[in-house]
Amino acid sequence: MANYKYQGLEPYLPPGALDLLEPLLNKYPLQVLVAKPRTSKFGDYRFPRKGSLHRISVNGNLNCYHFLITLIHEYAHLEAYMLYGKNINPHGEEWQETFRLNSAAFLEQGLFPDDVSKAFIDSLEKGHASSARSLELMRVLKNYDSKKTSSTQHLEDLVEGDRFILNQKLFRKGAQSRKRFKCEELRSGRFYMVHPLAEVTLYTLKND
């Protein structure tokens, strides 16, 4: 039976995941928050200060598999810091090993669909710092998101020079630099590096 303290997480998780999470979540004084959607990150971890609790937040709009992976990711920061100290590289060897070890039980119990499990294992083996760094894992996870409106697309599907709306701002898609696209925010003229799988709305005359 799930501990009452964390029962509020159950609707955001795959069935059976909370039973595996509880031993981890109860190991340290911890507060887990379901956050409003944030475009800059899927979740975060904050080390306790002045007697406060460890704090993890995860965006509440993520599908259950993405939510679980993000929660395990952020918990790995907590445990890596507790085991190795605060001076380690945030996504260095210590964190990667902790993330892999904590992920193993969830993969072994078959909580993820086969395609998510395969992409997640591949991401762990390659040492990706987050799901966002693994385009293949992100693409697979996107398949389990709620259906979007027909006008919503991924940035990588647009042609260079297309204009699009993101976060209520108008951008022009530029060239790809490494993994992200350099896009101009037309009102300010500033450039931003935007993830290929960012969900955007193609700007057309109908938007005027």
Side-chain angles (χ1 to χ4, degrees):
M1 179 65 68
N3 187 303
Y4 179 78
K5 180 179 178 182
Y6 294 113
Q7 275 188 336
L9 297 177
E10 204 154 25
Y12 300 93
L13 295 166
L18 188 56
D19 289 336
L20 290 176
L21 276 171
E22 277 193 307
L24 299 178
L25 302 182
N26 289 322
K27 195 171 181 180
Y28 303 100
L30 171 64
Q31 181 183 28
V32 181
L33 303 175
V34 178
K36 294 180 180 179
R38 295 166 290 187
T39 57
S40 60
K41 55 188 173 183
F42 299 126
D44 63 16
Y45 162 68
R46 294 189 181 183
F47 195 83
R49 298 179 185 275
K50 296 181 179 180
S52 63
L53 303 176
H54 296 274
R55 197 183 85 170
I56 289 173
S57 70
V58 182
N59 292 1
N61 64 329
L62 302 180
N63 68 57
C64 64
Y65 308 115
H66 199 173
F67 190 98
L68 176 57
I69 290 172
T70 302
L71 182 51
I72 301 170
H73 170 116
E74 301 303 340
Y75 182 83
H77 283 300
L78 184 165
E79 189 154 67
Y81 284 143
M82 293 299 293
L83 293 174
Y84 303 105
K86 294 194 293 182
N87 294 324
I88 62 173
N89 186 324
H91 293 114
E93 294 181 3
E94 298 89 352
W95 174 84
Q96 290 181 29
E97 180 64 14
T98 304
F99 189 28
R100 282 192 290 268
L101 289 173
N102 287 339
S103 300
F106 299 89
L107 288 162
E108 291 169 1
Q109 290 298 314
L111 296 181
F112 300 104
D114 288 344
D115 55 348
V116 174
S117 180
K118 182 178 182 300
F120 187 23
I121 291 171
D122 184 63
S123 178
L124 290 169
E125 290 177 348
K126 291 179 179 177
H128 288 126
S130 69
S131 56
R133 293 289 181 90
S134 172
L135 287 179
E136 181 55 33
L137 177 56
M138 280 291 292
R139 289 189 179 101
V140 172
L141 287 171
K142 288 283 186 183
N143 292 333
Y144 295 89
D145 286 348
S146 301
K147 291 183 178 179
K148 306 296 181 182
T149 62
S150 58
S151 62
T152 302
Q153 304 177 55
H154 293 145
L155 178 60
E156 67 177 3
D157 296 327
L158 273 56
V159 176
E160 185 173 337
D162 277 349
R163 294 184 296 171
F164 63 91
I165 298 171
L166 176 65
N167 297 333
Q168 300 180 329
K169 296 181 179 180
L170 182 61
F171 292 83
R172 180 183 289 111
K173 181 181 178 181
Q176 189 168 17
S177 177
R178 299 185 67 181
K179 291 187 176 181
R180 295 180 179 248
F181 289 95
K182 187 176 183 180
C183 301
E184 181 184 8
E185 198 269 295
L186 295 180
R187 183 173 181 179
S188 66
R190 294 178 61 185
F191 288 89
Y192 297 83
M193 304 306 295
V194 185
H195 196 281
L197 295 179
E199 292 175 347
V200 302
T201 301
L202 181 65
Y203 184 87
T204 65
L205 291 176
K206 293 181 181 179
N207 294 118
D208 290 325

